[in-house]
Amino acid sequence: MFSVKGTSRRLCDGTSRRDFLRVGALSCLGLSMPQLLRAAPTASAGETGFGRAKRCLLLFLTGGPPQLDTWDLKPDAPVEVRGELRPIATCVPGIRISELFPQLARQADKYCIVRSVTHQCTVHTPAGYAMLTGVSHPSVNATSAKEIRPSPEDHPHVGSVLARVRPPRGGVPTFAALPEIIKDDAINEYPGQSGGFLGQRYDPFRIEADVDKSAFQIPDLVLPPGMSAARLEGRRALLPLLDRQLRAVESRGAFADLDAHYQRAYALIGSSRVQRAFQLDREPDRVRAEYGRHLFGQGCLLARRLLEAGVSLVTVYWHYEGPKDSPVWDTHANNFPHLRERLMPPTDQALASLLDDLASRGLLKDTLVVCMGEFGRSPRINAHGGREHWPFVQSIVLAGAGIPGGSVYGSSDRMGAQPADKPVTPADLIATLLHLLGVRPGLELYDRSGRPVRVCDGKLLQGFFS
């Protein structure tokens, strides 16, 4: 993992990053453990839609947004199914979405609503794993998130697969994620957020946030006070000595690629493009206000700036910020107050501004935008005014990179409970995203034991390639 914030998490050999960073001339930089990046061959671009997306922004609404209250309302269903919210018209005749998405209604010509995404996992952590990797978790039938933990054997996040194929250039990482590592109940970390069996070298560059200030913590990308470029280069010259000392202690394992890590770290620190991307105050106040001053909005703005700086894929996760009955989009109780007061307005503001901003900059034509969660929510409202986990159908949004705007793909039944047409599995979704990003889904990777593993077994959603 490459992070902009020091952590005390331990390496696979039991040595903590913090302990290691106390050693040697570079500890002041707070850099994490290395591994060398490797490239993999890509397919030819002769296939329809293949490689059309130069970059990708994945917005993950942690907790599971309710399809019946966002993108797939059922006004003719019984009141205990349809709930309080009503559909409104969009700028595209025939497409109606939630009344809490007025700004997105005006941008409907820019995106496609997929109303038939489906899988079988009712637990947050393996469901998130499936949506982020396109692969079912080995413990897909676990009854509790406590039974599931991230593992070095996990299938890699789609961004890590892209990082395997597209090595970083000019100090700019291929894959970044913000503003936090997502967890169920702030305890159980979702698997599928990292490089998995590809190794830590393909973990995302993590950007952590100060939730209280709706700001991003980036101290390790800036030279400390008193550290000039000359002093930094002098310390760099000490790397061979430090490396020999460490290799005498650790001939194998986490320190094996130390040189490669520091080359990557120095390149990142020296990258003016990355430095500028973090300077949100360079944006006009009007633009920052349009995205919203909340953390999700500013995260979308930072993600756009990172994509412009050359990062290939950025994941923005919905942050853990709400009360106990719904800390994220997990609205088991008080679904409608939470949607009205703290979930849907920021999403409406940030996503609509993002789409408009990308389009006005000429970036939407080759930037793939994905907005999804780990599953949907139950059609029937429970006794606490909430909706339960419901993986059997959810709605997601795709935009850019030639995705047909102003369209709907698939449908759910009259209760919003099951796909009625064109079911889409997580594997189908990830295969399609990889295809658009120029990665053949049938590409074989190798796990830690050397066993070949296909990137994804899903089928391509051909309706997106016309």
Side-chain angles (χ1 to χ4, degrees):
M1 182 186 298
F2 199 51
S3 175
V4 297
K5 180 181 178 184
T7 93
S8 58
R9 288 189 287 271
R10 306 195 77 78
L11 298 169
C12 57
D13 65 349
T15 304
S16 75
R17 292 187 176 94
R18 189 163 291 160
D19 291 340
F20 173 68
L21 292 174
R22 292 194 182 104
V23 181
L26 291 168
S27 61
C28 67
L29 297 178
L31 302 174
S32 25
M33 286 296 101
Q35 295 216 324
L36 185 63
L37 291 170
R38 298 176 303 188
T42 62
S44 67
E47 300 168 74
T48 304
F50 184 83
R52 199 159 56 193
K54 293 181 180 178
R55 60 195 78 82
C56 177
L57 175 51
L58 197 164
L59 307 177
F60 194 85
L61 305 184
T62 313
Q67 70 280 5
L68 287 116
D69 305 315
T70 53
W71 305 106
D72 191 13
L73 284 78
K74 304 292 183 179
D76 298 326
V79 64
E80 64 272 17
V81 171
R82 70 175 186 260
E84 300 176 7
L85 302 181
R86 298 292 177 263
I88 58 172
T90 69
C91 66
V92 178
I95 296 180
R96 298 168 70 82
I97 61 176
S98 175
E99 64 182 272
L100 296 184
F101 280 164
Q103 294 186 56
L104 282 164
R106 294 190 289 271
Q107 299 289 334
D109 59 325
K110 296 182 176 65
Y111 56 78
C112 171
I113 304 170
V114 183
R115 290 176 169 163
S116 54
V117 177
T118 181
H119 61 82
Q120 300 297 311
C121 188
T122 61
V123 178
H124 288 288
T125 45
Y129 179 90
M131 294 300 295
L132 293 169
T133 68
V135 175
S136 295
H137 193 275
S139 300
V140 65
N141 295 317
T143 58
S144 170
K146 295 180 181 179
E147 300 175 32
I148 298 171
R149 293 287 187 275
S151 163
E153 309 300 328
D154 287 341
H155 200 84
H157 184 290
V158 62
S160 296
V161 173
L162 189 62
R164 175 68 174 79
V165 173
R166 294 186 190 177
R169 295 181 180 179
V172 180
T174 303
F175 173 29
L178 59 108
E180 63 188 16
I181 296 173
I182 55 171
K183 301 176 181 179
D184 182 19
D185 201 24
I187 298 172
N188 305 299
E189 183 176 331
Y190 285 43
Q193 299 179 68
S194 68
F197 65 68
L198 290 179
Q200 292 181 353
R201 71 193 71 179
Y202 299 113
D203 282 359
F205 171 59
R206 293 201 182 277
I207 303 159
E208 298 185 30
D210 183 334
V211 175
D212 293 334
K213 296 181 180 179
S214 294
F216 299 93
Q217 301 176 4
I218 53 170
D220 296 339
L221 289 181
V222 182
L223 293 180
M227 176 61 66
S228 65
R231 286 189 65 194
L232 179 65
E233 194 60 32
R235 293 193 173 199
R236 184 176 189 175
L238 294 175
L239 274 176
L241 175 61
L242 176 61
D243 181 58
R244 286 195 297 271
Q245 291 172 335
L246 289 170
R247 288 181 190 276
V249 178
E250 294 283 343
S251 58
R252 299 176 63 86
F255 296 127
D257 295 321
L258 183 62
D259 287 343
H261 169 78
Y262 279 122
Q263 295 297 329
R264 183 184 181 193
Y266 274 112
L268 180 60
I269 292 170
S271 171
S272 59
R273 287 189 296 169
V274 174
Q275 293 280 351
R276 286 195 299 270
F278 282 102
Q279 297 169 6
L280 291 181
D281 57 359
R282 286 176 172 260
E283 292 286 342
D285 287 342
R286 173 189 58 80
V287 173
R288 297 193 69 178
E290 286 174 351
Y291 275 82
R293 293 287 181 170
H294 40 77
L295 193 60
F296 185 70
Q298 295 302 291
C300 288
L301 177 57
L302 175 57
R304 189 218 79 201
R305 293 176 62 84
L306 288 168
L307 293 175
E308 287 182 306
V311 179
S312 294
L313 189 147
V314 182
T315 300
V316 180
Y317 296 104
W318 190 272
H319 51 293
Y320 194 93
E321 42 74 52
K324 187 172 179 60
D325 65 338
S326 177
V328 281
W329 285 77
D330 195 22
T331 53
H332 289 281
N334 301 312
N335 176 70
F336 298 102
H338 286 306
L339 294 180
R340 290 183 186 278
E341 295 167 14
R342 37 170 295 270
L343 294 171
M344 290 181 65
T347 304
D348 180 52
Q349 183 177 20
L351 181 53
S353 295
L354 173 70
L355 294 172
D356 187 52
D357 201 5
L358 289 172
S360 66
R361 292 169 180 268
L363 294 173
L364 193 58
K365 61 185 178 182
D366 54 13
T367 300
L368 178 60
V369 179
V370 186
C371 184
M372 66 183 187
E374 60 265 48
F375 42 48
R377 304 205 76 82
S378 62
R380 191 168 296 275
I381 301 166
N382 64 26
H384 304 288
R387 296 188 189 270
E388 308 295 347
H389 300 176
W390 196 262
F392 310 109
V393 71
Q394 69 162 303
S395 295
I396 70 170
V397 166
L398 301 178
I403 296 291
S407 66
V408 174
Y409 185 93
S411 63
S412 66
D413 61 22
R414 62 181 294 269
M415 296 295 185
Q418 299 285 343
D421 180 48
K422 299 179 182 177
V424 175
T425 69
D428 299 337
L429 174 65
I430 295 300
T432 302
L433 302 188
L434 288 170
H435 179 88
L436 289 167
L437 286 163
V439 181
R440 190 181 294 280
L443 173 71
E444 285 192 342
L445 303 174
Y446 293 88
D447 65 14
R448 290 159 57 88
S449 65
R451 179 176 62 92
V453 179
R454 284 172 60 93
V455 170
C456 186
D457 287 325
K459 66 179 184 297
L460 299 181
L461 304 175
Q462 296 294 338
F464 296 134
F465 304 137
S466 59

